[in-house]
Amino acid sequence: MVKIATWNINSVRLRIEQVERVLTEQAPDVLCLQEIKCREEQFPHAAFEALGYTHRVVHGQKGYHGVATVSRIPLREVGRHDWQDNGEARHVGVELLGPGQGMILENVYIPAGGDIPDREQNLKFGQKLDFLERMTRWAEALDRPTLIVGDFNVAPLDCDVYDHKALLKVVSHTPIECEALDRFRDAHGWADLGRQFIPAPERNYSWWSYRSYWRQKDQGRRLDHMWASPDLSRQATAHSIVEETRRWEQPSDHVPLITEFDL
């Protein structure tokens, strides 16, 4: 069995104790982090080393964005794509070399896209759509068992948000974003593991804004995803959301997702 987790940590240095707790309590073999907000030399390598995550690939930048994949399983880096075409650190891909050998694991942090869902008025929204388009062209050529995980910043289904009608004009749930993500899904026939194990319309959120009374109103969105190649998806045996982390002191606004594979 191979257990893989993904988490937008919203600053790995600020929340390293929470990461250590998740690694200790959930014991994933591999953890993909997004929004680490630091350069590689600033990454808290020692904390991961002490817990046995001796294999690490970090694609970071100063103060913003950044992704990292840490693992107890040997791995090698296979790519860093700049799908936003602006030099931001938003992707790293690895190949597992131990258990699960041959699996390609892609760790991605899709741009949020700003506040106005119009590419003419909002450069960031256009960059997000272009990112998804470039990622779609990449997916069309994939020919190996691949798992892509991370913060997609899109809640694609009506039931992936707390109020579909209220959020139709809100970035992350607009029809144009959902259609772009649909094209990405169809380009490789990805299986959405979150909905494979928690079928629609069951509640399935991974993000709650710091700006809302999230606990009382449960105003969540499913922005984080784990999608697998068709053959690989059939080897997935379990999927869970570690929602308790959102109740910890000074939490990330995202929570971890974990999928187990019979590999």
Side-chain angles (χ1 to χ4, degrees), residues 5-8 22 31 206 240-243 245 254-258:
T6 181
W7 192 5
N8 179 322
V22 165
L31 171 62
S206 68
S240 59
I241 306 166
V242 191
E243 193 170 316
T245 65
H254 296 256
V255 300
L257 311 181
I258 301 175

Side-chain angles (χ1 to χ4, degrees), residues 62-75:
K62 183 180 179 180
Y64 298 93
H65 319 308
V67 292
T69 299
V70 303
S71 176
R72 301 189 293 197
I73 297 171
L75 51 73

Side-chain angles (χ1 to χ4, degrees), residues 38-256:
C38 66
R39 297 188 296 265
E40 181 173 1
E41 61 268 23
Q42 300 168 314
F43 191 77
H45 290 281
F48 292 100
E49 192 78 20
L51 288 172
Y53 292 82
T54 57
H55 308 279
R56 296 177 297 277
V57 176
V58 180
H59 184 196
Q61 66 182 85
K62 183 180 179 180
Y64 298 93
H65 319 308
V67 292
T69 299
V70 303
S71 176
R72 301 189 293 197
I73 297 171
L75 51 73
R76 69 178 184 92
E77 183 177 334
V78 295
R80 301 183 180 195
H81 292 292
D82 183 9
W83 286 312
Q84 198 170 346
D85 196 28
N86 66 353
E88 292 179 355
R90 291 184 174 273
H91 166 266
V92 69
V94 302
E95 178 183 6
L96 299 188
L97 301 176
Q101 185 167 356
M103 178 199 285
I104 303 296
L105 176 57
E106 308 284 359
N107 179 1
V108 66
Y109 176 34
I110 295 175
D115 295 325
I116 302 171
D118 184 319
R119 69 183 307 148
E120 301 303 322
Q121 300 180 52
N122 175 14
L123 176 64
K124 291 182 178 180
F125 191 70
Q127 288 177 331
K128 180 178 188 175
L129 297 178
D130 292 343
F131 188 108
L132 286 164
E133 175 63 23
R134 293 185 183 103
M135 211 167 65
T136 297
R137 300 286 77 82
W138 163 83
E140 289 174 342
L142 293 178
D143 60 0
R144 297 185 63 182
T146 301
L147 179 68
I148 187 164
V149 308
D151 179 1
F152 287 14
N153 264 313
V154 181
L157 304 181
D158 294 3
C159 55
D160 286 341
V161 297
Y162 67 91
D163 189 331
H164 166 61
K165 290 184 179 179
L167 294 178
L168 279 172
K169 295 183 180 180
V170 175
V171 174
S172 79
H173 191 60
T174 65
I176 189 171
E177 292 168 276
C178 296
E179 290 163 7
L181 195 63
D182 283 347
R183 289 192 292 273
F184 172 65
R185 180 199 62 213
D186 294 343
H188 183 61
W190 298 106
D192 178 348
L193 299 178
R195 285 307 182 187
Q196 181 170 306
F197 286 91
I198 307 171
E202 289 185 43
R203 178 185 174 282
N204 185 346
Y205 301 149
S206 68
W207 176 89
W208 295 260
S209 173
Y210 290 129
R211 291 180 283 183
S212 69
Y213 294 104
W214 72 274
R215 210 176 290 187
Q216 293 89 335
K217 297 183 178 180
D218 195 28
Q219 293 180 338
R221 305 180 206 177
R222 188 171 74 105
L223 302 182
D224 302 87
H225 298 267
M226 305 184 81
W227 288 13
S229 294
D231 290 346
L232 182 61
S233 71
R234 290 188 278 273
Q235 295 174 284
T237 58
H239 177 84
S240 59
I241 306 166
V242 191
E243 193 170 316
E244 66 192 71
T245 65
R246 189 63 178 82
R247 295 187 286 273
W248 293 352
E249 187 175 352
Q250 290 190 304
S252 171
D253 44 356
H254 296 256
V255 300

Side-chain angles (χ1 to χ4, degrees), residues 1-4 29-30 73 96 99-100 103 259-263:
M1 184 189 77
V2 174
K3 193 173 184 180
I4 297 176
D29 296 294
V30 186
I73 297 171
L96 299 188
M103 178 199 285
T259 299
E260 297 177 25
F261 294 88
D262 183 12
L263 297 171

